[in-house]
């Protein structure tokens, strides 16, 4: 990641020319840390086939990191932080990151002002999705899923990490008032994408019990 928060992999013409940078294990890790792709590069390149050795073995690289779909230098994370803030926002000097705002975390019921305390959570976790049908999707479908706002919430970083890759069977937000909305939205995501009917039916049972 360069000082301007641009992520370059070894195929980039700027890779060897960038002198001041922070190294990451992969382009996805760089993006997850708040970096962005170079302008006009909207999606990650083809995955290395060795990273996806079998349909049962999950790899984070099976899904795209945050992308800058409209080329305005704000990736999905920062577009969502901008959209969900209920107060004025402050951006970084280059205008590519949202630093401060006012966010209502539905998982905890708390209010946050510092974006570094927030994660963008995949409501239906990527690893959970992989285990429950996404392993058979096309690469473009997985990339769309990973950046789809219907599947994203701005939440407390600590709660997001405690949730991990758990589904509603084993994890629900501490804010009980949000349980119905949580499982309903979870179910809506499953309906939008090609999940097996048995998986959808099980999710629907949570809606029936919580709403």
């Amino acid at each position: 990641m360069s000082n301007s928060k641009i992520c370059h992999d070894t195929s980039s013409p700027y890779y060897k020319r960038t002198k001041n940078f922070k190294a990451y294990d992969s382009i996805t890790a760089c993006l997850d840390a708040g970096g962005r792709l170079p302008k006009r590069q909207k999606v990650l390149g083809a995955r290395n086939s060795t990273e996806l050795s079998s349909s049962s073995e999950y790899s984070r690289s099976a899904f795209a990191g945050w992308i800058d779909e409209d080329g305005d230098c704000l990736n999905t994370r920062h577009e969502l932080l901008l959209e969900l803030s209920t107060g004025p926002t402050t951006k970084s000097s280059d205008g590519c990151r949202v630093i401060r705002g006012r966010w209502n975390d539905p998982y905890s019921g708390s209010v946050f002002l510092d974006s570094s305390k927030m994660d963008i959570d995949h409501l239906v976790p990527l690893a959970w999705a992989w285990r429950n049908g996404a392993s058979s999707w096309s690469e473009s479908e997985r990339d769309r899923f990973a950046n789809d706002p219907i599947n994203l919430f701005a939440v407390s970083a600590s709660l997001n990490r405690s949730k991990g890759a758990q589904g509603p069977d084993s994890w629900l937000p501490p804010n009980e008032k949000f349980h119905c909305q949580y499982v309903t939205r979870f179910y809506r995501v499953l309906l939008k994408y090609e999940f097996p009917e048995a998986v959808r039916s099980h999710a629907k049972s949570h809606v029936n019990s919580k709403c």
Side-chain angles (χ1 to χ4, degrees), residues 29-130:
C30 180
L31 292 168
D32 284 348
R36 58 188 173 90
L37 295 173
K39 286 187 177 180
R40 294 181 293 279
Q41 185 178 344
K42 295 184 179 180
V43 298
L44 299 181
R47 277 38 163 198
N48 186 323
S49 60
T50 60
E51 292 181 315
L52 305 175
S53 57
S54 75
S55 61
S56 60
E57 183 180 350
Y58 169 71
S59 169
R60 175 62 180 84
S61 62
F63 297 83
W66 302 134
I67 62 175
D68 177 13
E69 190 171 16
D70 56 8
D72 66 352
C73 93
L74 290 166
N75 64 25
T76 304
R77 169 184 167 82
H78 294 285
E79 293 277 13
L80 200 68
L81 288 172
L82 192 64
E83 178 183 341
L84 294 180
S85 177
T86 59
T89 57
T90 302
K91 294 180 184 176
S92 58
S93 57
D94 61 5
C96 296
R97 292 178 297 119
V98 177
I99 298 174
R100 293 188 65 81
R102 187 183 188 280
W103 296 282
N104 300 310
D105 170 20
Y107 287 5
S108 66
S110 300
V111 174
F112 290 87
L113 304 177
D114 183 347
S115 70
S116 68
K117 306 295 185 184
M118 308 291 292
D119 274 356
I120 301 301
D121 175 49
H122 290 95
L123 170 63
V124 178
L126 302 184
W128 187 98
W130 178 268

Side-chain angles (χ1 to χ4, degrees), residues 194-208:
E194 293 299 318
F195 286 96
E197 188 55 41
V199 174
R200 292 173 173 172
S201 296
H202 188 66
K204 185 63 162 59
S205 69
H206 290 297
V207 177
N208 294 338

